[in-house]
Amino acid sequence: MRLKKVALVGAMAGALAFTASPASADEVKWKAVDTDSTWHCTKYYDHKGSKNVFFKTCNVINAANYAQTVLVVQNKASVTIDIEGEITTNFGGHVDCAPSPLGAGATRGCYGPSKYVGPAAIVGNNARLNFNGIDEWLDEAMKRQG
């Protein structure tokens, strides 16, 4: 009987250890940006780390009422810079944007998850860009035009 009890306690501890692990966000790589009429973007903001680094957020909303947030970074400096960031949305999704070099004159985007939002949703996001060890956040909300 004692052996069964020890085995049961061990199994429960193992199960708890497995389920108590913290969930980690997905880390995504930066990709090329090609906008069209489904992209609804803020203006570019200059990052407080440099007057040559600009960033904005875009909510991409398709005809099937799926939305996706993209953190877009533009490097107008004459040198390669190192960036990273994250995106959180009010429609379910968080991603960490992988540390990456961004070449002089380049523009890249970090794409959050695509989720169903419905025809009249208010789509909001928070996005953080880290450049030169300095974090800067953008908070945006946009009503779905439908």
Side-chain angles (χ1 to χ4, degrees):
M1 178 72 170
R2 180 167 165 85
L3 184 59
K4 283 184 181 179
K5 192 174 190 179
V6 169
L8 181 60
V9 169
M12 287 175 55
L16 285 174
F18 179 73
T19 58
S21 299
S24 62
D26 294 328
E27 190 170 77
V28 298
K29 295 184 179 187
W30 298 83
K31 299 177 184 175
V33 174
D34 186 20
T35 63
D36 62 25
S37 64
T38 64
W39 287 59
H40 308 279
C41 301
T42 67
K43 67 176 188 157
Y44 271 110
Y45 295 92
D46 58 313
H47 192 279
K48 61 186 172 185
S50 170
K51 296 293 183 198
N52 292 312
V53 177
F54 298 87
F55 68 123
K56 66 181 177 179
T57 58
C58 299
N59 290 315
V60 183
I61 305 169
N62 68 19
N65 297 314
Y66 279 79
Q68 177 180 41
T69 296
V70 182
L71 172 59
V72 180
V73 182
Q74 191 175 64
N75 179 10
K76 291 191 176 182
S78 59
V79 297
T80 297
I81 62 173
D82 291 317
I83 58 171
E84 64 180 289
E86 70 181 288
I87 298 170
T88 302
T89 70
N90 69 338
F91 53 90
H94 176 237
V95 294
D96 288 328
C97 307
S100 177
L102 182 62
T107 300
R108 292 289 179 272
C110 175
Y111 292 73
S114 180
K115 302 278 185 166
Y116 180 77
V117 295
I122 294 181
V123 178
N125 65 67
N126 296 320
R128 176 184 61 86
L129 175 64
N130 184 291
F131 161 68
N132 276 351
I134 301 168
D135 283 333
E136 189 161 358
W137 286 88
L138 290 178
D139 300 319
E140 298 294 332
M142 187 179 302
K143 184 170 173 39
R144 168 72 166 109
Q145 303 296 318

